[in-house]
Amino acid sequence: MATFGDRMMAHFAYDSPWTFTSSAGISAGLAIVGANGGSLYLENSDSGDKRTLYYFGVGASFGPLPMSGSFSTPEMWSKGLGKIRGAKRSLTFNDLRGPMCILSGSLAAGILPDGASGSVFFLGFPVGLALLGGAIEIILSGLLTATAYGAIVGHFKGIDAGVSLLPGYAR
């Protein structure tokens, strides 16, 4: 039986020329609801084109804190993990815009000057699932129908610990 990871690699079979080069954002959480918004800075290795993808998401957040809040700026360290992978051979910037879903985790420990976070952005997410924001099982199955995904890690300032699954929109 194929695992979720196997199915994901089969669906997102193609490296695109796009990579995340940096990011900036703000997030907040209250009880089990989280929200995140910001900017993703991208570069196309084929054309040298540099673009910005603005995004927001609201959904479920799980962690040990009853409230959380954090922010990052483009000057703070962040880095994309490899190329953005696509379900089709050639991805344009417009393919990355529209409904999306963010799967993220973060931790701000008292021994570090900055918190650390990692996020996977599923871009070109099915419109109905992104707007519905329904059951987690429905969203997870929808991840395998997105157009592309990319991952980024970075530092942030604030108090935040946990994981989030946030349907949203990127433009």
Side-chain angles (χ1 to χ4, degrees):
M1 187 168 146
T3 67
F4 183 80
D6 294 337
R7 291 175 53 204
M8 202 169 125
M9 293 309 293
H11 178 71
F12 300 108
Y14 305 102
D15 277 341
S16 79
W18 294 100
T19 57
F20 293 132
T21 59
S22 185
S23 65
I26 187 166
S27 69
L30 179 62
I32 61 168
V33 177
N36 188 328
S39 305
L40 297 168
Y41 303 98
L42 297 94
E43 184 170 357
N44 184 309
S45 60
D46 290 347
S47 67
D49 190 21
K50 295 181 181 183
R51 304 293 294 264
T52 303
L53 195 61
Y54 301 97
Y55 71 92
F56 72 89
V58 177
S61 183
F62 306 97
L65 305 173
M67 292 177 20
S68 63
S70 63
F71 72 93
S72 65
T73 65
E75 296 77 28
M76 297 171 77
W77 181 83
S78 64
K79 179 167 180 46
L81 300 177
K83 301 234 180 229
I84 294 174
R85 299 205 32 104
K88 63 182 192 174
R89 194 172 298 279
S90 177
L91 286 178
T92 68
F93 182 73
N94 283 336
D95 291 327
L96 306 177
R97 298 168 57 178
M100 55 161 306
C101 192
I102 309 163
L103 177 59
S104 66
S106 59
L107 177 62
I111 59 172
L112 300 173
D114 293 329
S117 68
S119 298
V120 179
F121 289 83
F122 290 88
L123 306 161
F125 197 72
V127 174
L129 294 178
L131 297 176
L132 185 66
I136 291 174
E137 299 85 18
I138 294 171
I139 293 172
L140 288 174
S141 66
L143 298 180
L144 293 176
T145 60
T147 302
Y149 85 92
I152 192 165
V153 294
H155 289 167
F156 67 86
K157 300 278 188 195
I159 299 172
D160 203 347
V163 296
S164 300
L165 184 61
L166 311 172
Y169 194 84
R171 63 171 194 86

